[in-house]
Amino acid sequence: MSLLEIKNLSVQFGRKDAPFNAVEGLDLTVNEGELVGIVGESGSGKSVTMMAMMGLLEGQGRIVADKLSFDGKDLLTISARERRKIVGKDIAMIFQDPMTSLNPSYTVGYQIMEVLKVHQGLRGAALKARALELMQMVEIPAAESRLSAYPHQLSGGMSQRVVIAMAIACKPKLLIADEPTTALDVTIQAQIMELLVSLQKSQNMALIMITHDLAVIAEVAQRVAVMYAGQVVEMGAVPGLFRQPVHPYTEALLSSIPEHSKGASRLSTLPGIVPGQYDRPAGCLLSPRCPYVQPNCRQDRPALSPHGEGAYRCHYPLLNKETAR
Amino acid sequence: MFTFILRRLGLLIPTFFGITLLTFGLIRMIPGDPVEVMMGERSLDPQMHAEALHRLGLDKPLYAQYFDYLSNLARGDLGQSLVTRENVWAEFTTLFPATLELALCAMLFASVVGLLAGVLAAIKRGSLFDHGVMGISLTGFSMPIFWWGLVLIMFFSVSLGWTPVSGRLDLMFDIPPDTGFMLIDAWRAEAADPEYNAGAFKDALMHLILPSIVLGTIPLAVIARMTRSSMLEVMQEDYVRTARAKGLSPARVIFVHTLRNALIPVLTVMGLQVGVLMGGAVLTETIFSWPGIGKWLIDAIGRRDYPVVQNGILIVATLVILTNFIVDILYGIANPRIRHAK
Ligand SMILES: Nc1ncnc2c1ncn2[C@@H]1O[C@H](COP(=O)(O)OP(=O)(O)OP(=O)(O)O)[C@@H](O)[C@H]1O
Ligand code: SF4
Ligand SMILES: [Mg+2]
């Protein structure tokens, strides 16, 4: 049984009579201890998917799914109270900008210990010792004195380490890292990535790595999901998908790798941008930008077709064609 | 933090001079001098008039009078009332507790209700409650104090007879002014002699309710609006999302992670309300015949009692400035980014 199983997830924003599907018919599974990458341009719904799963869209988005289960628990029917026992403990998430992710009014130590207090009931010396241990696990130098530091006294890289310490505090089974390095200096980016991957191995937790950096995914992930305009357009095991992409969008992403590893969020090989709320096409969502587009692509939205260990959404997959790379 | 305090202190000096100049000039711009006003309609012998002015030192040129005023101030001499011959500082300290008691109760009322309404409106954004709070506070903010006081008196005191119309305490009580705070004095007197002073505390409390509401209305409206908008802004912050992603309870997210940061601008606004409160006290005390600083100053202006007006206003202004100064420091303490700034 998979640790995380999402079937046909949709997230709608806006009015009921004119909804915007930020996520539409999304399937994703993550097994225990697995590292899954999610890639895709800005606005493709990566963050919204994860926030919906964590229950962080309360009062904003409407969530519909055939299945949304984590560790055998049904996240769709669970009460808010029960969900809070899982979120922050068994599923943890770290966000893009570490400098704004920490509360400026509380010390680093307070914010780490808060998780331990709420979820594990730790108190006193044991609490402090565990907080210190976590700070050392994320390789923060002078950990002891940094416990009483305020977020504004830390650099971006240090802050992200603190956020990571907070996330792994209760030994989560699944950690979601939503573009954890985008806001950091290039020199720090690799260090943080390395830290996350080594923690994933040593803690034996599943890790969903959301990033624009395909090169990193190619190196560390076991599987990867490519998202476009709220859908997974291709999903596959790692060396395979990179060697032989089936979906035109994946192909375009791959051919722009040098750019992406520099943090660019747009594709030069595909003109245009991800369609937003008002310009979603009727047929295949990629049809306005796809170099292989055919007339019926503009009317019929392709369904998910299985392919090897993965799947794709395209009427004219690049199955028998060697890619240009 | 230390330099932060020093910088703020440095700003106080020019402000202080500005106030002395203003009060000195403004009261002299009102036609009529103290002697004329004292004599009233009776015709005044010009010779006697000049002599009286000379005795008061009011025949000197203005710059000399101002210089005298400043040099007296420098010696810590706040002068005497031209009317009662009492020391201004002594009069002030006798009357101030009445105003302070009223202002504190008004601020307590405004803060408790304002914060609560603001926080709830923010949590229930867009609801009927939210619209209600915003509508009422907009009305409250533009409420003419005088009219509002009279309306409340008409309704609660005259029609319903729930609260007394004016003053601090019913005439049948005779409470020694130990602290000057009627609530405390009445409480102590009642505790000391429960039979003779039965009901004194409740009576003092009833006298406070309407004036506190009238005086607290504008600060209440300001605090409620500020709390709401500040809460809404902080609720969008990434660190609040982090707090929710930690699986904290909604109460913890709101009170520990949101309110704490949302309070910082609210605190500043509260501090600024002290000035509003002092201005409002003048009107409120007049409506309710509340024997405090506001009424004292109004009477002094009517009598052209120059020393009382000049120094009374100076003392009040200094208090307002000091409060704002303290708020600034509290602001620094509440906000570590300022506390640690060099
Ligand atoms: N609270 C919200 N209300 C309305 N629309 C939203 C909301 N949050 C996100 N969206 C929309 O949903 C779409 C997907 O956004 P999302 O943040 O998931 O993209 P992303 O793939 O994470 O992009 P990025 O790489 O920039 O982080 C976007 O069009 C965005 O404008
Ligand atoms: S369905 Fe057509 S438009 Fe869509 S990706 Fe495939 S080829 Fe391109
Ligand atoms: Mg995102």
Side-chain angles (χ1 to χ4, degrees):
Chain A
M1 189 189 64
S2 319
L3 180 65
L4 174 70
E5 207 171 339
I6 304 178
K7 276 224 172 73
N8 200 18
L9 170 75
S10 293
V11 182
Q12 289 186 347
F13 290 111
R15 295 203 323 265
K16 273 225 163 67
D17 49 333
F20 166 59
N21 283 301
V23 176
E24 203 175 337
L26 179 133
D27 293 358
L28 184 71
T29 56
V30 177
N31 299 315
E32 267 174 51
E34 189 182 27
L35 203 168
V36 174
I38 300 185
V39 296
E41 282 166 288
S42 228
S44 52
K46 306 182 294 290
S47 302
V48 169
T49 305
M50 292 304 136
M51 308 243 289
M53 198 258 292
M54 299 269 292
L56 295 179
L57 291 178
E58 246 163 72
Q60 295 180 57
R62 285 179 298 281
I63 298 166
V64 197
D66 292 346
K67 184 164 188 182
L68 188 55
S69 80
F70 172 79
D71 202 16
K73 296 181 194 81
D74 183 357
L75 295 181
L76 283 172
T77 54
I78 202 168
S79 72
R81 180 184 289 268
E82 286 298 314
R83 183 200 297 272
R84 286 201 299 274
K85 286 191 192 150
I86 303 175
V87 164
K89 179 169 173 280
D90 295 328
I91 314 176
M93 184 160 177
I94 60 184
F95 301 96
Q96 186 166 341
D97 189 351
M99 302 299 268
T100 56
S101 290
L102 293 169
N103 192 322
S105 289
Y106 297 95
T107 61
V108 162
Y110 179 92
Q111 296 185 57
I112 296 180
M113 289 188 239
E114 188 178 32
V115 195
L116 298 167
K117 267 194 263 182
V118 168
H119 288 297
Q120 300 186 323
L122 287 186
R123 294 286 183 277
L127 176 63
K128 177 115 194 272
R130 175 65 179 153
L132 197 60
E133 187 189 355
L134 285 165
M135 297 273 279
Q136 283 153 354
M137 276 168 71
V138 294
E139 296 158 20
I140 293 180
E144 178 120 41
S145 64
R146 283 243 163 76
L147 275 178
S148 52
Y150 283 90
H152 71 271
Q153 295 169 316
L154 303 181
S155 67
M158 273 314 144
S159 297
Q160 195 61 300
R161 286 175 195 271
V162 171
V163 173
I164 294 172
M166 234 157 60
I168 62 165
C170 305
K171 300 200 175 80
K173 295 183 175 135
L174 172 63
L175 177 65
I176 301 161
D178 189 354
E179 303 187 38
T181 61
T182 312
L184 300 176
D185 283 352
V186 182
T187 46
I188 312 291
Q189 289 186 354
Q191 293 176 14
I192 295 288
M193 273 303 174
E194 226 164 84
L195 174 69
L196 278 171
V197 172
S198 87
L199 283 172
Q200 183 252 337
K201 290 209 179 81
S202 67
Q203 303 290 299
N204 191 32
M205 60 186 176
L207 177 60
I208 296 181
M209 177 76 78
I210 300 175
T211 178
H212 291 177
D213 192 339
L214 278 161
V216 166
I217 295 294
E219 202 177 311
V220 300
Q222 274 111 61
R223 283 187 306 137
V224 60
V226 181
M227 281 192 71
Y228 184 79
Q231 298 189 321
V232 171
V233 291
E234 183 167 3
M235 171 94 208
V238 156
L241 184 136
F242 281 89
R243 286 204 196 104
Q244 185 97 38
V246 233
H247 197 282
Y249 182 66
T250 314
E251 186 194 51
L253 271 187
L254 289 173
S255 62
S256 60
I257 272 197
E259 239 174 275
H260 266 255
S261 47
K262 282 194 229 103
S265 55
R266 284 212 197 168
L267 298 178
S268 59
T269 42
L270 277 189
I273 56 166
V274 183
Q277 179 161 8
Y278 304 105
D279 51 2
R280 288 259 164 104
C284 172
L285 292 168
L286 191 65
S287 55
R289 298 171 74 187
C290 181
Y292 308 103
V293 62
Q294 301 291 323
N296 70 326
C297 296
R298 299 196 199 276
Q299 274 101 50
D300 309 327
R301 198 165 285 187
L304 205 61
S305 323
H307 171 66
E309 293 167 58
Y312 61 86
R313 265 181 205 277
C314 177
H315 294 309
Y316 304 99
L318 315 168
L319 285 175
N320 303 313
K321 171 176 170 292
E322 271 304 306
T323 46
R325 288 206 306 142
Chain B
M1 188 69 193
F2 185 64
T3 44
F4 170 76
I5 293 176
L6 272 189
R7 229 181 303 141
R8 288 288 187 288
L9 271 177
L11 279 175
L12 291 188
I13 297 165
T15 320
F16 195 76
F17 271 103
I19 294 165
T20 59
L21 207 59
L22 261 178
T23 53
F24 180 88
L26 282 179
I27 184 69
R28 279 168 178 74
M29 276 197 221
I30 309 178
D33 61 53
V35 181
E36 267 172 41
V37 173
M38 229 183 300
M39 292 304 168
E41 297 295 305
R42 277 171 290 160
S43 56
L44 189 59
D45 175 26
Q47 170 90 31
M48 270 177 63
H49 187 190
E51 268 170 30
L53 283 182
H54 179 72
R55 242 182 300 125
L56 297 173
L58 296 176
D59 55 343
K60 293 191 200 170
L62 278 183
Y63 67 86
Q65 288 184 37
Y66 183 64
F67 185 76
D68 283 351
Y69 170 41
L70 283 191
S71 56
N72 282 341
L73 269 187
R75 275 185 285 112
D77 179 6
L78 295 177
Q80 296 175 331
S81 159
L82 300 180
V83 179
T84 63
R85 299 270 142 217
E86 277 258 20
N87 186 288
V88 171
W89 179 247
E91 283 199 341
F92 174 82
T93 48
T94 326
L95 294 173
F96 184 61
T99 300
L100 186 60
E101 185 174 41
L102 175 59
L104 284 179
C105 288
M107 203 58 196
L108 187 73
F109 163 72
S111 311
V112 171
V113 181
L115 282 174
L116 222 68
V119 170
L120 282 179
I123 297 175
K124 306 216 167 296
R125 176 185 200 171
S127 68
L128 207 63
F129 178 83
D130 182 21
H131 291 303
V133 167
M134 285 308 98
I136 292 173
S137 76
L138 195 65
T139 323
F141 184 66
S142 35
M143 189 76 81
I145 288 193
F146 218 90
W147 179 82
W148 177 225
L150 292 180
V151 167
L152 287 183
I153 291 178
M154 290 301 278
F155 189 66
F156 288 104
S157 307
V158 180
S159 297
L160 294 173
W162 288 359
T163 55
V165 176
S166 66
R168 297 179 80 189
L169 199 65
D170 198 283
L171 286 175
M172 67 183 231
F173 293 105
D174 179 22
I175 306 287
D178 293 341
T179 60
F181 292 94
M182 194 56 85
L183 282 181
I184 299 175
D185 288 342
W187 176 272
R188 295 211 321 209
E190 200 173 338
D193 192 345
E195 214 153 296
Y196 181 64
N197 290 320
F201 179 74
K202 186 174 170 230
D203 189 64
L205 194 64
M206 294 309 272
H207 274 88
L208 253 174
I209 292 178
L210 283 194
S212 300
I213 292 178
V214 169
L215 185 54
T217 297
I218 291 179
L220 165 65
V222 175
I223 291 171
R225 291 189 78 85
M226 191 68 206
T227 307
R228 176 183 180 271
S229 68
S230 177
M231 283 290 290
L232 286 178
E233 198 178 311
V234 175
M235 279 155 87
Q236 302 297 318
E237 294 283 350
D238 285 352
Y239 57 79
V240 172
R241 182 184 58 189
T242 307
R244 297 207 295 137
K246 279 157 100 175
L248 306 180
S249 67
R252 245 196 114 76
V253 173
I254 292 291
F255 290 105
V256 177
H257 287 275
T258 312
L259 188 58
R260 164 84 186 253
N261 292 288
L263 271 185
I264 293 173
V266 178
L267 208 64
T268 318
V269 163
M270 279 186 190
L272 294 176
Q273 292 308 302
V274 173
V276 175
L277 229 45
M278 284 295 159
V282 173
L283 285 171
T284 311
E285 290 181 1
T286 309
I287 308 169
F288 289 92
S289 305
W290 192 267
I293 299 300
K295 204 164 164 297
W296 178 56
L297 287 176
I298 289 284
D299 292 347
I301 292 173
R303 295 184 187 130
R304 309 291 184 276
D305 195 342
Y306 291 172
V308 171
V309 176
Q310 272 166 207
N311 291 319
I313 292 179
L314 184 65
I315 298 170
V316 172
T318 309
L319 280 178
V320 172
I321 293 172
L322 279 183
T323 327
N324 287 348
F325 177 64
I326 292 168
V327 169
D328 267 354
I329 293 177
L330 286 181
Y331 183 92
I333 291 174
N335 189 343
R337 261 174 293 194
I338 294 187
R339 194 185 331 147
H340 293 284
K342 288 285 136 39

